[in-house]
Amino acid sequence: MISGTHIWKSFKGKVVNEDVTFSVNKGEVVSFLGPNGGGKTTLMRQIYGELKSDKGEIEIDEMDPYNALDVLGVVPQDVDVMDGLTSFEHIYIMGMLKGLSRREAKEMTEELMERFSIENKKVDALSGGNKRKVLIASALTSSPKYLILDEPTTGLDPQSRREVWNIISDLKRAGTGIILTTHYLEEAEKLSDRIYFLNRKILLFGKTGELRKKFANYYQVINVETGEKYNVREEELLSFIRNLNYKYEIRLPDLDEIYDKVISNEPN
Ligand SMILES: Nc1ncnc2c1ncn2[C@@H]1O[C@H](COP(=O)(O)OP(=O)(O)O)[C@@H](O)[C@H]1O
Ligand SMILES: [Mg+2]
């Protein structure tokens, strides 16, 4: 399990992560969802040991992040492929750096390239989506138990995004614990078992399917003739619809709308 307990991190007096507590189990996909500047990357960098928390504790299978490099694969947000190499060389070299023998690195590279349908070309010439696949494959050469993907689909075209989604689903099925950051609600909902909404603090969290029920204390009543929408609190719903003289539909609000509400409540 990866866990963070009461994590705080500031830059020059500005609090970026405030009292963040979370956990990720093996075989689980957990998303940190939040706007740009919400502190996601800062939190990830503490999990993979690049930054030290000001306060709080992060543990990876009961180790501190500096000793957990063997069990953790990482694709940082701002990382790019190493130009000049072919896809094969890129993944192979990462395997060697992770301590595989030449033979193991070769086999691992072939397997990953086949599994993710990676072409063997100069990485400079690959599309954004294929570069991302090379980076993910490179992070997987050590067969990590956990994988951190910081905004793995930002900037990708829809098809590449779907390919990365498929990779994530496959890895989950194979038992890898995955931490994903995204500002796409749709992506978090589609891929993750649990979601933490992070905007400096954890504003909401829960199982993906339960978030709507848990956090939406209102329903939307929609006039099916005009499309007009009314947000009605649960306790007022019965009396509200009793007085309607048009055809209506009742539904839970979109997670998007819940998200907007949560984000707009963010303390400054
Ligand atoms: N090394 C740094 N020095 C100063 N400020 C930083 C540094 N890294 C991040 N920040 C600030 O911390 C905030 C959160 O950034 P970040 O963690 O990258 O958010 P996210 O990944 O959610 O977009 C931003 O306001 C950013 O400018
Ligand atoms: Mg980021």
Side-chain angles (χ1 to χ4, degrees):
M1 186 171 82
I2 299 183
S3 65
T5 330
H6 302 296
I7 301 303
W8 289 75
K9 184 71 190 172
S10 300
F11 294 112
K12 297 182 193 121
K14 180 185 169 205
V15 178
V16 174
N17 292 146
E18 177 178 333
D19 204 24
V20 173
T21 293
F22 66 90
S23 64
V24 180
N25 295 302
K26 202 165 174 288
E28 200 180 29
V29 180
V30 172
S31 289
F32 286 88
L33 175 67
N36 285 326
K40 302 182 295 297
T41 295
T42 302
L43 184 65
M44 295 308 115
R45 293 173 70 201
Q46 292 165 82
I47 300 172
Y48 59 80
E50 193 178 279
L51 286 175
K52 202 171 168 346
S53 307
D54 298 340
K55 265 197 277 181
E57 197 174 26
I58 292 175
E59 286 194 350
I60 301 170
D61 285 350
E62 283 154 34
M63 292 174 276
D64 77 42
Y66 310 99
N67 295 320
L69 296 178
D70 288 347
V71 298
L72 201 60
V74 181
V75 183
Q77 177 168 3
D78 45 14
V79 75
D80 202 353
V81 288
M82 298 179 275
D83 282 352
L85 302 177
T86 64
S87 330
F88 183 93
E89 289 162 347
H90 196 288
I91 301 166
Y92 177 82
I93 287 171
M94 282 309 291
M96 297 286 285
L97 289 175
K98 294 276 170 77
L100 301 185
S101 70
R102 278 165 200 274
R103 195 169 55 83
E104 286 167 338
K106 180 169 176 287
E107 283 171 8
M108 178 61 83
T109 304
E110 286 165 353
E111 186 201 310
L112 287 165
M113 287 181 65
E114 159 135 26
R115 195 160 140 208
F116 299 161
S117 314
I118 295 172
E119 283 179 277
N120 193 22
K121 276 199 197 165
K122 286 269 189 223
V123 288
D124 330 34
L126 294 174
S127 68
N130 285 323
K131 282 183 180 168
R132 206 63 61 93
K133 289 202 288 187
V134 168
L135 289 166
I136 296 174
S138 299
L140 289 170
T141 49
S142 57
S143 311
K145 249 166 108 173
Y146 305 100
L147 182 65
I148 296 179
L149 299 172
D150 193 356
E151 303 232 13
T153 67
T154 300
L156 299 189
D157 60 83
Q159 171 170 353
S160 306
R161 177 174 295 169
R162 265 194 302 279
E163 284 189 52
V164 171
W165 286 353
N166 289 339
I167 290 174
I168 293 171
S169 302
D170 282 354
L171 289 169
K172 175 186 151 67
R173 238 171 283 131
T176 310
I178 298 172
I179 301 183
L180 181 70
T181 75
T182 181
H183 54 260
Y184 300 116
L185 189 62
E186 179 207 1
E187 175 164 295
E189 263 204 307
K190 194 174 169 70
L191 295 174
S192 29
D193 300 295
R194 290 186 297 116
I195 298 176
Y196 291 91
F197 287 79
L198 177 68
N199 194 14
R200 194 176 80 196
K201 322 185 202 191
I202 303 285
L203 297 171
L204 300 173
F205 67 97
K207 286 194 182 154
T208 303
E210 289 171 6
L211 267 183
R212 289 165 193 268
K213 270 193 253 162
K214 193 165 168 188
F215 300 109
N217 63 351
Y218 64 96
Y219 288 83
Q220 289 188 324
V221 178
I222 300 161
N223 180 333
V224 292
E225 280 142 36
T226 66
E228 273 174 292
K229 282 194 258 178
Y230 302 92
N231 291 343
V232 184
R233 289 157 60 92
E234 187 161 15
E235 56 275 23
E236 289 157 5
L237 190 62
L238 277 178
S239 63
F240 186 88
I241 56 177
R242 201 172 287 143
N243 297 317
L244 296 183
N245 54 5
Y246 51 77
K247 272 196 173 174
Y248 60 84
E249 193 185 295
I250 301 173
R251 63 171 177 83
L252 284 161
D254 289 339
L255 207 45
D256 257 322
E257 294 172 38
I258 301 172
Y259 179 58
D260 288 344
K261 277 196 189 331
V262 168
I263 296 304
S264 62
N265 279 342
E266 204 269 321
N268 293 310

